[in-house]
Amino acid sequence: MSKYNTKNNYQNFMLGRIWQYANPIIMATFYYIVFGFIFKHSLGATSVPYLPWMLVGMATWGITNGTILQSLGSIINQLNLSNTFRFSVSISPSITFVSNIVEYFVILSIAAIVGGFNGYTPSIYWLQLLYYFFAIVMFTVSYSLLNATLTTIFRDYSQLVRSFSRIGMFISGVMMNLQSDYIPAFVRRLVLLNPFYYLNEGMRDALFSQGWFYDKMPATIFFWTLTLFIMLLGTHLFYKYQESFRDFL
């Protein structure tokens, strides 16, 4: 189903799935020019070369936020199909996540290659990539199920999520170093509670050998507590209202 959805999304374009990779590359180029050159010594200053650092953030944000936004109407869109093929629409966010995996690994691989040219070769820290990818899966699928369920019940909720996602990219450290001295101290502390920021920085720590996940245990505990809460809430609401989904259409 994931393969079919991806093919269906790009079948009307002359370049087809090339756009799946071209769009993030175009965005990455723009952000690299703005934050890698214009604001290089302020918001774009990092201990790691800016381009691979930013690409990791782009890859992680792309698969998390992209899946969440694309999954908002997934239950609504799959309801009729589920009657024909007899599958639970609760897997709809997972289908969307799998559709974005190829793009994620392509961008992450480019970041690793560019990092390698800058001296960041594979190390034991790379074992954490498995941990952080598992964290990405758990958080993204759980949050997507919650949002898809709430969107089915209350359509306006999707617009609220889309509005916050536009801000979320700037407060998740995708292209700005939010631990820069140019950022107020209280803001630097607050962003540590952002699960998207936790995943972005975790992938960077692993890929560029900057530390272990247990070195920031308070943030790790908060992330998994929040993820578990979202998972339980999303599952509870889905099974509570699944028999009434068609009444909301």
Side-chain angles (χ1 to χ4, degrees):
M1 291 182 67
S2 173
K3 183 178 180 180
Y4 169 79
N5 286 344
T6 302
K7 182 179 180 180
N8 185 57
N9 289 337
Y10 294 97
Q11 67 177 351
N12 294 324
F13 296 96
M14 184 179 298
L15 297 180
R17 290 191 62 180
I18 292 177
W19 285 112
Q20 189 176 8
Y21 313 110
N23 286 327
I25 291 174
I26 292 171
M27 288 182 61
T29 302
F30 172 76
Y31 291 135
Y32 179 62
I33 293 173
V34 174
F35 294 98
F37 289 98
I38 299 177
F39 298 112
K40 182 177 181 179
H41 299 294
S42 55
L43 299 178
T46 65
S47 59
V48 178
Y50 184 74
L51 181 57
W53 182 90
M54 181 195 65
L55 287 175
V56 173
M58 291 283 294
T60 307
W61 174 256
I63 196 171
T64 53
N65 184 67
T67 299
I68 290 167
L69 293 182
Q70 294 168 32
S71 297
L72 287 172
S74 60
I75 292 179
I76 297 173
N77 296 333
Q78 300 289 355
L79 274 177
N80 292 329
L81 188 63
S82 66
N83 287 337
T84 304
F85 292 100
R86 298 297 177 184
F87 68 92
S88 174
V89 291
S90 63
I91 69 169
S92 298
S94 303
I95 295 172
T96 306
F97 182 87
V98 173
S99 299
N100 294 325
I101 279 184
V102 174
E103 178 183 338
Y104 168 74
F105 281 121
V106 167
I107 300 176
L108 195 66
S109 297
I110 294 174
I113 293 171
V114 176
F117 282 114
N118 286 274
Y120 293 94
T121 54
S123 68
I124 192 172
Y125 288 94
W126 280 36
L127 293 175
Q128 294 181 107
L129 292 173
L130 297 175
Y131 161 75
Y132 282 111
F133 182 72
F134 175 73
I136 288 173
V137 173
M138 295 300 293
F139 174 77
T140 305
V141 174
S142 299
Y143 194 32
S144 296
L145 178 62
L146 173 61
N147 286 337
T149 302
L150 292 176
T151 297
T152 306
I153 300 171
F154 181 58
R155 295 293 183 87
D156 290 4
Y157 176 78
S158 63
Q159 298 304 316
L160 185 65
V161 175
R162 294 183 189 279
S163 297
F164 276 107
S165 72
R166 297 186 181 98
I167 305 172
M169 188 172 189
F170 295 96
I171 61 175
S172 299
V174 177
M175 64 271 186
M176 295 186 297
N177 179 15
L178 297 181
Q179 296 303 315
S180 169
D181 293 337
Y182 290 86
I183 304 293
F186 76 94
V187 175
R188 279 180 272 164
R189 288 192 293 270
L190 283 177
V191 296
L192 295 176
L193 302 179
N194 184 344
F196 295 98
Y197 179 81
Y198 175 82
L199 295 172
N200 285 335
E201 288 301 300
M203 292 298 293
R204 287 164 176 157
D205 288 345
L207 203 59
F208 304 124
S209 307
Q210 293 185 308
W212 295 97
F213 70 92
Y214 51 75
D215 291 334
K216 44 186 178 183
M217 190 55 68
T220 299
I221 293 174
F222 178 82
F223 171 82
W224 284 110
T225 301
L226 178 63
T227 300
L228 181 61
F229 172 76
I230 291 174
M231 181 191 302
L232 294 176
L233 179 60
T235 304
H236 170 72
L237 291 177
F238 176 83
Y239 283 108
K240 180 178 181 180
Y241 291 102
Q242 67 173 335
E243 299 298 331
S244 306
F245 281 157
R246 296 190 179 279
D247 298 334
F248 294 107
L249 299 181

